[in-house]
């Protein structure tokens, strides 16, 4: 039986980067080190530092170069720290990492809804015919002031149409949704080539001001239940039906 779960964000990123199409939708990502952090802060001004094996938004930090004064600012949860030197910043982050592997990723300035950041989760599943199908999309609105949108970190799952009000509607939103589906199915296909056992993925996607979708991470144990929050109940019903067919709810071992 081939594996259904892949934990390492770094391993999954490496697989996706082999596709030219997907590379255009991946923020630059490197393993965390003194050199990579410095280079990426210089290049992008704002980055995210995340544990390679993290979940639920735990331990995710946003780090940026301050513009008005020199120095750096780092946010974890709602706590913000400032450092006047790069080495001060690095010492703190390195201590915080506690020798667990981390990645540094180019920060995307997420779209906002009523001042709060949001991103998107797309569910992709093997359908009864054995083909990949994008079965659900939901927006996730960050808790006020927070830098992660995860439900377990206080985020609110919400219909994409509502969150996209003022950013896109009608035809444009329709085409955007199709682009998200195509992108997410391509992610599944690409991962399956290396991990043939996978049956479902949840793709976390950031949208920038130009409405360009950026793949933040791919989950191989995506939560199906957030889709119960959608007003259209048929979405969750289909997700649940497909998941039952490939035995998602039977397995006690992961
Ligand atoms: N590069 C990034 N740019 C902007 N926001 C990010 C970035 N990486 C992560 N985030 C925010 O942090 C959340 C959690 O990060 P993610 O990589 O999905 O880790 P986790 O496994 O903890 O969910 C994302 O859903 C997003 O809101
Ligand atoms: Mg995530």
């Amino acid at each position: 039986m081939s594996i259904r779960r892949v934990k390492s964000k770094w391993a999954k990123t490496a697989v996706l980067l082999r596709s030219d199409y997907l590379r255009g939708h991946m923020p630059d990502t490197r393993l965390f080190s003194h050199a990579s952090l410095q280079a990426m802060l210089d290049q992008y001004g704002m980055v995210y530092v995340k544990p390679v094996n993290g979940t639920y938004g735990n331990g995710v930090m946003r780090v940026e170069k301050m513009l008005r004064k020199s120095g750096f600012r780092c946010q974890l949860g709602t706590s913000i720290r400032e450092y006047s030197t790069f080495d001060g910043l690095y010492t703190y982050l390195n201590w915080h990492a506690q020798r667990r592997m981390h990645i540094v990723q180019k920060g995307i300035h997420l779209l906002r809804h009523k001042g709060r950041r949001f991103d998107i989760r797309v569910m992709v599943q093997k359908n009864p015919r054995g083909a990949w199908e994008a079965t659900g999309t939901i927006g996730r609105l960050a808790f006020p002031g927070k830098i992660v949108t995860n439900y377990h970190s206080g985020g609110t799952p919400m219909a994409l149409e509502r969150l996209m009000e003022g950013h896109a509607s009608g035809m444009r939103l329709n085409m955007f949704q199709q682009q998200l589906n195509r992108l997410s199915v391509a992610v599944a296909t690409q991962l399956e080539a290396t991990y043939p056992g996978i049956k479902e993925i949840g793709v976390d996607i950031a949208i920038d001001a130009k409405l360009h979708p950026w793949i933040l991470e791919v989950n191989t144990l995506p939560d199906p239940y957030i889709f119960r929050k959608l007003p259209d109940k048929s979405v969750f019903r289909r997700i649940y039906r497909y998941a039952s067919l490939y035995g998602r709810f039977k397995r006690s071992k992961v």
Side-chain angles (χ1 to χ4, degrees):
M1 180 74 200
S2 44
I3 54 162
R4 287 193 176 187
R5 313 279 177 243
V6 185
K7 260 194 116 177
S8 165
K9 292 192 199 315
W10 183 238
K12 287 178 276 191
T13 300
V15 171
L16 299 186
L17 284 173
R18 288 186 217 140
S19 149
D20 288 340
Y21 166 50
L22 294 178
R23 205 174 312 122
H25 294 276
M26 307 270 301
D28 189 3
T29 306
R30 303 182 212 166
L31 276 179
F32 172 79
S33 71
H34 188 279
S36 64
L37 181 67
Q38 193 156 39
M40 288 179 74
L41 277 171
D42 271 347
Q43 202 169 344
Y44 306 119
M46 192 272 282
V47 300
Y48 270 66
V49 176
K50 316 190 258 194
V52 165
N53 289 321
T55 49
Y56 302 151
N58 291 337
V60 171
M61 284 176 292
R62 176 186 162 105
V63 182
E64 64 196 309
K65 259 182 161 168
M66 291 191 289
L67 295 174
R68 296 218 189 95
K69 44 185 173 175
S70 66
F72 302 88
R73 160 196 282 253
C74 169
Q75 182 169 352
L76 170 70
T78 47
S79 102
I80 296 174
R81 289 157 197 270
E82 290 188 2
Y83 297 90
S84 54
T85 65
F86 177 79
D87 284 329
L89 168 76
Y90 179 76
T91 303
Y92 165 69
L93 289 178
N94 201 34
W95 168 81
H96 183 268
Q98 291 183 320
R99 299 187 191 172
R100 295 164 66 211
M101 263 214 286
H102 281 64
I103 51 177
V104 194
Q105 190 171 66
K106 176 187 175 183
I108 308 300
H109 293 276
L110 300 187
L111 286 188
R112 289 174 188 255
H113 173 79
K114 298 186 175 159
R116 293 158 65 177
R117 298 183 172 95
F118 71 90
D119 62 10
I120 298 173
R121 163 63 62 89
V122 180
M123 185 86 169
V124 185
Q125 297 173 280
K126 278 290 171 91
N127 67 19
R129 288 176 287 107
W132 288 114
E133 183 178 325
T135 48
T137 303
I138 196 162
R140 302 180 307 173
L141 187 59
F143 192 80
K146 285 211 177 178
I147 55 151
V148 300
T149 59
N150 305 64
Y151 182 64
H152 289 89
S153 295
T156 310
M158 218 180 255
L160 186 63
E161 305 87 79
R162 273 185 69 194
L163 295 179
M164 291 298 284
E165 274 165 19
H167 301 295
S169 61
M171 253 311 251
R172 184 139 188 242
L173 183 59
N174 227 306
M175 282 169 63
F176 179 67
Q177 174 71 65
Q178 281 175 36
Q179 183 189 16
L180 294 180
N181 290 354
R182 191 157 27 93
L183 181 62
S184 303
V185 166
V187 168
T189 306
Q190 178 71 14
L191 277 181
E192 189 186 22
T194 301
Y195 306 112
I198 59 172
K199 304 289 181 204
E200 58 181 5
I201 58 168
V203 189
D204 288 346
I205 299 177
I207 309 300
D208 68 17
K210 293 178 184 158
L211 300 194
H212 185 78
W214 295 97
I215 300 162
L216 298 179
E217 71 146 345
V218 184
N219 300 273
T220 53
L221 185 58
D223 174 11
Y225 298 104
I226 51 167
F227 291 93
R228 281 190 299 198
K229 299 281 196 294
L230 289 175
D232 178 357
K233 298 301 170 198
S234 70
V235 175
F236 176 70
R237 277 202 300 272
R238 181 175 56 183
I239 287 175
Y240 195 88
R241 183 159 52 87
Y242 286 9
S244 304
L245 285 173
Y246 53 72
R248 158 81 187 250
F249 305 113
K250 270 190 255 150
R251 298 166 63 85
S252 52
K253 277 188 287 182
V254 290

